[in-house]
Amino acid sequence: MSANHAAFNLIFRFVENYVSPIAGRISSQRHVMAIRDGFISAMPFMIVGSFLLVFAYPPFSPDTTWGFARAWLEMAKQFEGQILTPFDMTMGIMSIYICAAIAYNLGKHYVKTHQLDPFMCAMLSLMAFLLVAAPKTKGSMPVDSLGGTGIFTAILVAVYCVEMMRFLKAHNIGIRLPDQVPPMIKNSFDLLIPVLVVVLTLYPLSLLIQSQFGMLIPQAIMSIFKPLVSAADSLPAILLAVLIGHLLWFAGIHGAAIVSGMLQMFWLTNLGANQTALASSLPLPHIFMEAFWTFFIVIGGSGATMGLVICYLRSRSAHLRSIGRLSVVPSFFNINEPVIFGTPIVMNPVFFIPFLLAPMVNAVLAWSAMKFDLIGRVISVVPWTAPAPVGAAWALGWDFRAAILVIVLACVSAIIYFPFFKVYEKQLLEQEAEEAQRNAEEDNQQMA
């Protein structure tokens, strides 16, 4: 036991001294925060758009004879254009929302120090992104690069525009107007020089790439990032993300927020590719997306603690049984703070191994199920608070095999947690027995 404690202390000191400070600095870095908040701001558009995609492509075989399914398929085919229009205006051009939201959130970091207007930052970034991603061709604007293909470009353009505005402000480069001029007019004139800089820098670059490589900037950037996107969709990358996130959680840092914030750009790129493949009746290429993380890996919350809550419900320990009853409903909605801090699991050496092992085993099993086409793949953005079986089926276009897999994974997590739960339960039962005996002795002394 002493050797186990020594190993745990060594791992914990490494996480506390090296991993946690780096993760803390990354998560509080203004550009990382702006990107994370930008994705969150754009999420409502994606959820609604993804929801409508399921109506356009019903989860039934074209050969089905079920009356309800036949009616849905025929309606979807007849009104496909009308159903997909809201999707095209949300998920189909999600990079527009992401670009503006990131610029706005980054601009807020410079309001006090450089007097930037976040709204003007968003407007400039939106213009710059459309300039390089959707140049007018033969009287129309192409939208191919406004969806998942344009995410990396949207991030880079938003950061470039805001940092360029900050640089100009810091060096007093701009049009100066008297203080008597209304603020809105001053803000508009403040944007003249940044707009000119964008046109003189990004537009020639876009023309150069079009002439030399026959592609737009978003397509060129995607070709550069393609190996990284492919690597991020592999099982080793998934397991590494799970490991880092849960090591941070165990040290008391919200690791899921840090890891998911850094992976959002890859998740949404993969999601856009899957949705494009679905619309073209092609096999879905990608597995690792936010819904895969939320509903298959961390069932019930970080650490896949739904399995632990199931163990707690029948515990002989009054403390654990009460935590289980308190946590069971929130766990259904992927909220596990009651069990994380009520147990506690954070910095508890008994639960170190299962807290890391359960979500990693879930990741391997779910990845294998999708890789070998035992279930479908993610096509929708789903609110993370959806109950795991429902959220999983919803994310896969109402593939109810996913709901069955989630139940199986929750049971697997419970099996992994069970021996460690029994060890901790034994410790608490001994403590509760000692406390009961001590209380009884105090009562006897008072009666005497």
Side-chain angles (χ1 to χ4, degrees), residues 128-257:
F129 177 67
L130 291 175
L131 183 68
V132 301
K136 190 175 180 180
T137 305
K138 295 180 180 180
S140 62
M141 289 178 59
V143 297
D144 296 344
S145 299
L146 302 185
T149 306
I151 288 176
F152 291 102
T153 304
I155 295 171
L156 295 174
V157 166
V159 173
Y160 168 74
C161 289
V162 176
E163 289 299 332
M164 179 263 293
M165 291 180 68
R166 180 192 64 82
F167 176 85
L168 295 177
K169 276 281 189 178
H171 292 81
N172 294 317
I173 302 173
I175 298 175
R176 298 181 182 180
L177 295 176
D179 294 336
Q180 293 80 8
V181 176
M184 284 304 299
I185 296 178
K186 287 188 66 175
N187 290 337
S188 298
F189 274 86
D190 283 344
L191 206 58
L192 284 175
I193 299 299
V195 169
L196 183 61
V197 172
V198 164
V199 172
L200 293 178
T201 55
L202 292 184
Y203 190 53
L205 177 62
S206 178
L207 293 176
L208 177 65
I209 291 176
Q210 290 179 59
S211 63
Q212 294 297 317
F213 302 101
M215 60 178 70
L216 298 176
I217 286 180
Q219 297 164 349
I221 291 176
M222 272 302 298
S223 65
I224 295 172
F225 279 99
K226 189 173 181 180
L228 188 59
V229 173
S230 299
D233 196 40
S234 65
L235 182 59
I238 295 171
L239 294 178
L240 180 62
V242 174
L243 178 63
I244 293 174
H246 286 78
L247 279 174
L248 293 173
W249 242 126
F250 202 80
I253 297 174
H254 201 311

Side-chain angles (χ1 to χ4, degrees), residues 20 23-24 27 36 244-261 293 301-302 334-337 340-341 346 384:
S20 294
S27 64
R36 180 199 63 198
I244 293 174
H246 286 78
L247 279 174
L248 293 173
W249 242 126
F250 202 80
I253 297 174
H254 201 311
I258 295 173
V259 171
S260 63
W293 176 284
S302 294
N334 301 310
I335 299 169
N336 69 339
E337 277 76 6
I340 286 281
F341 299 107
V346 173
W384 65 271

Side-chain angles (χ1 to χ4, degrees), residues 312 314-323 421 424-426 428-429 432:
Y312 280 2
R314 300 298 298 273
S315 176
R316 291 182 295 143
S317 165
H319 172 71
L320 295 184
R321 195 166 56 252
S322 63
I323 293 296
F421 149 71
Y424 192 59
E425 181 187 54
K426 183 179 179 182
L428 290 185
L429 286 173
E432 290 172 5

Side-chain angles (χ1 to χ4, degrees), residues 59-189:
F60 304 112
S61 169
D63 302 325
T64 183
T65 57
W66 184 26
F68 174 75
R70 292 299 323 161
W72 188 350
L73 286 166
E74 291 172 5
M75 183 199 69
K77 184 176 181 180
Q78 181 179 356
F79 298 102
E80 181 180 7
Q82 291 87 335
I83 296 173
L84 286 179
T85 295
F87 169 80
D88 293 335
M89 295 299 104
T90 52
M91 281 296 301
I93 55 172
M94 61 178 169
S95 293
I96 289 179
Y97 305 112
I98 290 170
C99 182
I102 291 174
Y104 181 86
N105 283 283
L106 182 57
K108 289 199 298 185
H109 288 273
Y110 297 127
V111 170
K112 293 183 179 179
T113 57
H114 295 81
Q115 290 76 50
L116 291 191
D117 185 338
F119 178 74
M120 291 300 179
C121 292
M123 294 290 286
L124 177 65
S125 299
L126 182 58
M127 185 278 292
F129 177 67
L130 291 175
L131 183 68
V132 301
K136 190 175 180 180
T137 305
K138 295 180 180 180
S140 62
M141 289 178 59
V143 297
D144 296 344
S145 299
L146 302 185
T149 306
I151 288 176
F152 291 102
T153 304
I155 295 171
L156 295 174
V157 166
V159 173
Y160 168 74
C161 289
V162 176
E163 289 299 332
M164 179 263 293
M165 291 180 68
R166 180 192 64 82
F167 176 85
L168 295 177
K169 276 281 189 178
H171 292 81
N172 294 317
I173 302 173
I175 298 175
R176 298 181 182 180
L177 295 176
D179 294 336
Q180 293 80 8
V181 176
M184 284 304 299
I185 296 178
K186 287 188 66 175
N187 290 337
S188 298
F189 274 86

